Amino acid sequence: MQRIGVFVCWCGSNIAGTVDVAKVAEALKSEPGVVLSTNYQYMCSQAGQEMIKEAVKEHKLTGLVICSCSPRMHEATFRKTAAAAGINPYMVEIANIREQCSWIHKDMEEGTEKAIVLGRTAIAKVNLNAPLTPGESPVTKRALVIGGGIAGIQTALDIADAGFYVDIVEKKPTIGGKMAQLDKTFPTLDCAACILTPKMVDVAQHERIRIFSYSEVESVKGFVGNFDVTIRKKARYVKEDVCTGCGLCTEKCPQKKVPNEFNLGMDNRRAIYIPFAQAVPKVATIDADYCTMLKTGKCGVCSKVCTAKAIDYTQKDEFIEEKYGAIVAATGFNPISMDKFDEFAYSQSKDVITSLEFERLMNAAGPTAGKLLRPSDGVHPHKIVFVQCVGSRCASCAEKGKEYCSKICCMYTAKHAMLTRDKYPDTDVTVFYIDVRTPGKQFDEFYRRAVEEYGVHYIKGMVGKVSPEGNKLIVQGSDLIANKQLKIEADLVVLAAAIEPDKSARPLATMLTASMDTNDFFTEAHPKLRPVESPTAGIFLSGACQGPKDIPETVSQAGAAAAKVIGLLAKDKLTGNPCVAHSDEMMCNGCSSCEKVCPYGAITYSDKEFRGPNRTTLIRRVASVNEAICQGCGCCTVACPSGAMDLKGFASKQIMAEVDAICK
Amino acid sequence: MENSKQNLCNEIVRRSGVNPRKCMKCGKCSGTCPAYDEMEYHPHQFVYMVETGDIEPLLNSKSIYRCLTCFACVDRCPRGVEPAKLVEAVRLAVVREQGKNHLKADDIPELLDEELPQQAIVSALRKYSK
Ligand SMILES: Cc1cc2nc3c(=O)[nH]c(=O)nc-3n(C[C@H](O)[C@H](O)[C@H](O)COP(=O)(O)OP(=O)(O)OC[C@H]3O[C@@H](n4cnc5c(N)ncnc54)[C@H](O)[C@@H]3O)c2cc1C
Ligand code: SF4
Ligand code: SF4
Ligand code: SF4
Ligand code: SF4
């Protein structure tokens, strides 16, 4: 028989406000096995924990029930307390009377009644609990970073500098991400390439970093400390180790009409290409959708001009298998499509562009060699209108826009406006805004400079429509402060498009069993206290894949994610979860049902000898669970038709006892 | 008086099905409205005035007859406020008061224009033939 101590927590007024804690403690006194039932203001405080330890000693307790907040909050705390008091940590049960009771009830009587039932349920379980000891598993001292934008780059560098091996998987032919496409960066206006490319080179030269460019993650198996990952290295038809990056092929390729994605389709590239001069790795890639050799077998010009003999038209996708201890998602973001916003005439006029396109137009390596020229006729625009919040803060049109604020566009629009006025003082610049959101160090000062020093006109109001008329764009919008509707004849309109997570993030999250929010941003384990970890152990988050972010924030988060990874890889062993599945060999009939449902591949079968009737020996096929791999999800226990599979700590009879206690 | 005004305001909100609190005051509706210059109160002001219960001026304003019911504001409002439905509800509140018709049903045939869409004629007749 257990000797159970029950501790009812007030959580200040969080619980005590809607639950009569004294009454709950009193009512639970008479439950089977209970030898002590009491209440206290803050059980998790040092004093509260001391109280538990004393009680264990004084009353010779063998099990504890803490009626408090969610086990997600403090189960670990109270398990530690139990261990310190000398009882097995798995003899502790939490009755969640806060999140699932006091916070959702208004009526004291109802709340109290429910808290008593929840407490009784936990007591019923503890009566059947048995001490458990967790197993240990080794840690593979190598990290995988998925996505090679500034987030992935920084995370990889920090982990590698701490002495661990890191692989970066980047789906594009080069690392660098969106930052490589930017011209100058707020709030200091340093050139993006000048601060990014040295980091890209550091990555390339780091002895502990490998870059798998033009590659994607194909499958992920395993668990924290022991992930098995398959990486697909897509065929680029160029031998990476042989190509010198001279670029001769990219000049001679006769297929010249391929939209250049790096310049967002505003100019063309060849079918064989190097995305930009500072690409890492600086290796050519053949675009199989456009290469005449690959499509028709005729051409072969690149192969002829390549002095290094790097071209290989027969290359196939390659699969690489590697083990990792930790995985970091750094898959970044993209601006949303403007196709559905007819009112801004994006698809009707070439002179309505997005802000990212504007970055390329201002960039010395862009399609206009850094001259601000209209895409339609190459003429210098004298009147530019910027529209903020296009598709952001858009609650009504889920199929068009996003409900959230994209966070970076107020700042980059101020940057664009300022840079334009600086370079072209003859150009008049107007910005339509709903709000100007510029919290951040030196951010509001930056925006005010655009207005006060550079004379950018900020108009509070939104643009209702843009209509192309001749070679002008008529921008019709509200000026809410003047209470007027404005019609501005503009030469160029720039839309600050909302940003969204990369489309590949959702399938990746499924592979990683990492959770996402409804907008497909990765969710963190705790929004405040664990912002760079996913709720799935061993998966970490870096950069804009977790939520809209500018570069300073991305880099801080990337470093934080690296610190968490380093903390994990520095361990030699991880203590597992002892609440794993276990099959009763005497009941198992070897049907394979459990193996089929186990998402982690933890179940294997073996032929074992059993004693048959009349001193005979029978050979039977039975299941066994690898405790280091089992995550305790419980799928197998439900699938098993003979009731042989059970979960330690969550045995069927324990669950049934809980249900009985609720229904009593 | 205060009370009856508030009641009318609630009634307008109920009839229109519009929740003026959803408005984030971006002004896109007024930026898009083709009848803007004809109006004394513009779509975003309609929303704001109903939200704050300042309904009297709207009832007496010609603005309610200037709205073309083109629904451009409804289509483009990022928050799904549907200002035109509010304009329509204010208009109805006035029209439903006996004798407050803008036109008499008998005046309509004279004003008919070949170019007018059928739908507009039908709805005009429905509105004025009381
Ligand atoms: C127009 C514009 C102007 C900006 N200006 C500034 C500025 O002036 N200052 C500032 O601080 N910030 C600015 N930003 C914000 C800045 O671009 C971001 O903060 C930064 O790029 C975020 O970095 P990231 O690595 O998280 O994402 P990204 O840059 O998007 O990088 C993600 C990388 O992951 C790769 N990837 C995605 N999915 C996969 C996958 N499944 N497998 C493998 N690889 C994958 C992508 O190809 C990409 O290389 C601007 C943004 C825009 C749009
Ligand atoms: S950052 Fe500014 S422009 Fe971007 S969505 Fe938020 S408020 Fe709008
Ligand atoms: S509980 Fe069963 S199904 Fe789940 S991981 Fe363990 S063995 Fe696999
Ligand atoms: S467009 Fe919608 S959110 Fe914006 S001011 Fe008009 S009603 Fe309000
Ligand atoms: S429906 Fe009325 S208020 Fe709305 S845009 Fe059209 S004319 Fe203006």
Side-chain angles (χ1 to χ4, degrees):
Chain A
M1 190 66 188
Q2 305 278 15
R3 293 178 61 80
I4 299 170
V6 179
F7 301 86
V8 185
C9 183
W10 304 17
C11 194
S13 61
N14 271 301
I15 293 172
T18 16
V19 167
D20 183 341
V21 285
K23 200 169 161 193
V24 175
E26 190 55 39
L28 295 177
K29 262 191 182 135
S30 50
E31 288 299 314
V34 175
V35 295
L36 166 77
S37 183
T38 183
N39 65 79
Y40 183 66
Q41 260 175 329
Y42 292 104
M43 284 315 305
C44 60
S45 67
Q46 180 139 27
Q49 295 188 48
E50 283 310 318
M51 184 176 153
I52 296 175
K53 287 183 207 162
E54 292 292 316
V56 170
K57 224 185 284 166
E58 192 185 328
H59 298 272
K60 300 194 168 50
L61 301 180
T62 58
L64 304 177
V65 168
I66 322 284
C67 304
S68 61
C69 52
S70 157
R72 292 185 64 150
M73 198 72 202
H74 278 311
E75 188 174 61
T77 313
F78 294 119
R79 279 186 174 162
K80 269 189 210 142
T81 316
I87 51 181
N88 185 284
Y90 293 88
M91 297 304 293
V92 178
E93 288 300 328
I94 310 281
N96 180 354
I97 61 165
R98 194 178 76 174
E99 286 83 345
Q100 292 176 351
C101 185
S102 70
W103 278 358
I104 49 169
H105 288 289
K106 288 205 172 76
D107 182 73
M108 183 75 126
E109 208 167 304
E110 274 176 5
T112 307
E113 193 190 334
K114 181 163 171 188
I116 294 172
V117 174
L118 292 171
R120 197 200 291 148
T121 308
I123 294 166
K125 186 168 179 217
V126 174
N127 268 307
L128 298 173
N129 276 17
L132 298 172
T133 321
E136 282 182 337
S137 57
V139 179
T140 307
K141 303 207 175 249
R142 181 188 292 277
L144 172 65
V145 174
I146 307 170
I150 181 61
I153 289 176
Q154 189 62 47
T155 302
L157 283 171
D158 288 349
I159 299 173
D161 283 342
F164 297 102
Y165 288 93
V166 187
D167 290 345
I168 299 179
V169 170
E170 166 57 58
K171 66 175 176 181
K172 301 250 173 77
T174 171
I175 60 171
K178 245 61 71 201
M179 191 174 165
Q181 289 173 289
L182 304 183
D183 183 39
K184 301 208 164 46
T185 53
F186 66 75
T188 42
L189 294 182
D190 23 15
C191 119
C194 314
I195 54 176
L196 175 68
T197 44
K199 277 193 189 287
M200 291 166 64
V201 174
D202 285 352
V203 167
Q205 292 178 347
H206 207 295
E207 55 181 354
R208 283 184 292 274
I209 301 181
R210 279 191 298 181
I211 303 171
F212 295 106
S213 62
Y214 211 47
S215 300
E216 270 165 61
V217 171
E218 186 76 11
S219 77
V220 178
K221 288 205 193 79
F223 55 97
V224 53
N226 296 277
F227 293 106
D228 291 295
V229 178
T230 309
I231 298 163
R232 175 199 288 264
K233 238 175 124 27
K234 292 177 278 187
R236 69 199 308 161
Y237 307 101
V238 175
K239 292 180 206 139
E240 231 177 274
D241 43 348
V242 179
C243 171
T244 60
C246 71
L248 199 57
C249 52
T250 68
E251 284 159 26
K252 299 289 181 220
C253 169
Q255 182 53 271
K256 297 178 185 169
K257 286 255 154 20
V258 186
N260 181 2
E261 55 282 88
F262 188 70
N263 285 333
L264 302 149
M266 290 187 292
D267 64 356
N268 290 328
R269 59 162 170 81
R270 310 293 172 108
I272 185 163
Y273 67 109
I274 298 176
F276 53 97
Q278 304 92 331
V280 167
K282 195 160 183 200
V283 173
T285 304
I286 295 184
D287 187 336
D289 291 339
Y290 291 92
C291 168
T292 10
M293 184 68 187
L294 290 172
K295 281 166 76 179
T296 64
K298 291 190 197 84
C299 181
V301 169
C302 51
S303 163
K304 280 180 212 122
V305 299
C306 178
T307 47
K309 298 274 161 278
I311 311 288
D312 174 6
Y313 299 114
T314 63
Q315 214 175 56
K316 294 261 165 342
D317 287 6
E318 206 184 312
F319 293 90
I320 293 145
E321 287 183 16
E322 189 59 82
K323 278 186 169 303
Y324 299 98
I327 300 179
V328 183
T331 47
F333 73 99
N334 290 300
I336 64 167
S337 154
M338 289 285 100
D339 292 350
K340 289 198 175 123
F341 291 89
D342 294 336
E343 63 265 40
F344 298 114
Y346 179 77
S347 349
Q348 289 170 45
S349 168
K350 278 186 161 182
D351 299 331
V352 179
I353 60 173
T354 66
S355 300
L356 198 53
E357 288 164 2
F358 187 82
E359 293 278 347
R360 296 312 301 151
L361 282 186
M362 292 290 273
N363 191 279
T368 52
K371 287 200 204 68
L372 184 55
L373 303 173
R374 302 193 342 154
S376 65
D377 50 14
V379 170
H380 170 64
H382 290 279
K383 174 99 201 140
I384 306 184
V385 171
F386 288 87
V387 189
Q388 294 199 160
C389 297
V390 177
S392 295
R393 309 170 66 185
C394 194
S396 64
C397 40
E399 73 292 347
K400 277 167 80 174
K402 303 288 168 187
E403 194 170 352
Y404 47 85
C405 161
S406 295
K407 197 173 183 178
I408 54 175
C409 13
C410 278
M411 277 302 282
Y412 71 56
T413 300
K415 171 184 79 173
H416 293 162
M418 193 190 285
L419 290 173
T420 309
R421 292 282 299 156
D422 188 47
K423 228 166 151 181
Y424 307 101
D426 65 331
T427 299
D428 189 80
V429 175
T430 301
V431 176
F432 280 89
Y433 70 96
I434 304 175
D435 299 287
V436 178
R437 295 183 167 166
T438 48
K441 197 167 165 180
Q442 295 291 323
F443 280 20
D444 205 61
E445 296 91 320
F446 182 87
Y447 146 61
R448 289 310 306 166
R449 234 172 54 228
V451 179
E452 293 169 26
E453 279 175 40
Y454 290 87
V456 176
H457 311 297
Y458 268 78
I459 294 179
K460 175 157 175 66
M462 190 60 186
V463 169
K465 68 173 180 186
V466 176
S467 7
E469 260 172 42
N471 60 355
K472 295 278 179 193
L473 295 160
I474 311 299
V475 181
Q476 179 184 312
S478 276
D479 181 338
L480 292 176
I481 291 175
N483 198 17
K484 271 193 205 148
Q485 191 184 61
L486 305 179
K487 286 199 179 72
I488 299 177
E489 262 191 21
D491 301 315
L492 187 70
V493 171
V494 185
L495 307 176
I499 61 174
E500 65 181 355
D502 193 275
K503 294 263 193 278
S504 69
R506 169 66 62 180
L508 183 70
T510 311
M511 259 188 253
L512 297 171
T513 61
S515 44
M516 292 192 130
D517 63 19
T518 46
N519 295 312
D520 280 6
F521 286 113
F522 282 95
T523 347
E524 51 283 0
H526 189 285
K528 281 155 259 176
L529 303 178
R530 295 173 67 196
V532 298
E533 294 156 84
S534 142
T536 307
I539 311 290
F540 301 87
L541 313 174
S542 175
C545 66
Q546 180 257 347
K549 266 180 209 69
D550 56 23
I551 298 164
E553 241 188 302
T554 299
V555 171
S556 327
Q557 203 204 16
K564 290 285 167 193
V565 171
I566 295 164
L568 169 62
L569 298 189
K571 293 192 179 116
D572 289 323
K573 283 193 161 37
L574 293 177
T575 13
N577 164 20
C579 299
V580 290
H582 173 80
S583 98
D584 182 342
E585 290 179 344
M586 298 311 286
M587 286 163 83
C588 174
N589 64 22
C591 70
S592 286
S593 300
C594 55
E595 186 200 17
K596 285 191 201 110
V597 296
C598 178
Y600 303 94
I603 300 172
T604 47
Y605 294 89
S606 55
D607 290 331
K608 278 200 172 174
E609 286 185 8
F610 289 88
R611 280 256 302 273
N614 307 326
R615 298 181 161 249
T616 52
T617 334
L618 294 171
I619 307 276
R620 275 179 38 225
R621 183 173 181 267
V622 290
S624 64
V625 177
N626 181 338
E627 296 199 347
I629 299 178
C630 171
Q631 297 295 297
C633 69
C635 292
C636 54
T637 65
V638 198
C640 175
S642 28
M645 212 35 116
D646 217 346
L647 210 54
K648 291 184 198 165
F650 292 93
S652 303
K653 66 173 199 275
Q654 287 176 298
I655 311 265
M656 287 316 290
E658 289 187 285
V659 176
D660 285 345
I662 292 173
C663 302
K664 201 155 78 180
Chain B
M1 179 60 203
E2 273 306 303
N3 236 348
S4 72
K5 220 171 76 185
Q6 193 54 49
N7 284 345
L8 180 58
C9 204
N10 292 344
E11 187 54 24
I12 285 171
V13 166
R14 191 191 63 77
R15 267 186 216 155
S16 63
V18 166
N19 176 4
R21 287 188 198 158
K22 291 202 304 194
C23 172
M24 67 168 164
K25 298 162 181 77
C26 67
K28 194 173 184 185
C29 49
S30 296
T32 213
C33 178
Y36 186 97
D37 289 335
E38 318 275 306
M39 288 177 165
E40 179 186 4
Y41 300 110
H42 307 116
H44 75 280
Q45 287 172 299
F46 261 87
V47 179
Y48 186 65
M49 289 162 87
V50 173
E51 188 190 350
T52 52
D54 189 14
I55 191 131
E56 204 68 23
L58 292 180
L59 296 171
N60 298 321
S61 168
K62 291 261 183 301
S63 301
I64 49 180
Y65 307 110
R66 297 292 177 256
C67 164
L68 308 167
T69 324
C70 70
F71 274 49
C73 54
V74 173
D75 186 49
R76 290 174 195 166
C77 167
R79 309 296 300 182
V81 177
E82 307 187 308
K85 291 194 179 166
L86 213 50
V87 179
E88 171 74 6
V90 176
R91 191 159 46 207
L92 280 179
V94 175
V95 165
R96 282 186 191 175
E97 298 259 323
Q98 279 299 334
K100 285 266 180 82
N101 276 352
H102 186 56
L103 285 175
K104 293 214 166 49
D106 296 342
D107 299 340
I108 294 175
E110 220 173 285
L111 296 168
L112 280 185
D113 183 332
E114 285 285 288
E115 307 270 288
L116 268 185
Q118 276 294 326
Q119 208 178 348
I121 301 171
V122 173
S123 60
L125 281 169
R126 200 167 49 208
K127 202 152 155 184
Y128 297 120
S129 55
K130 270 201 198 166

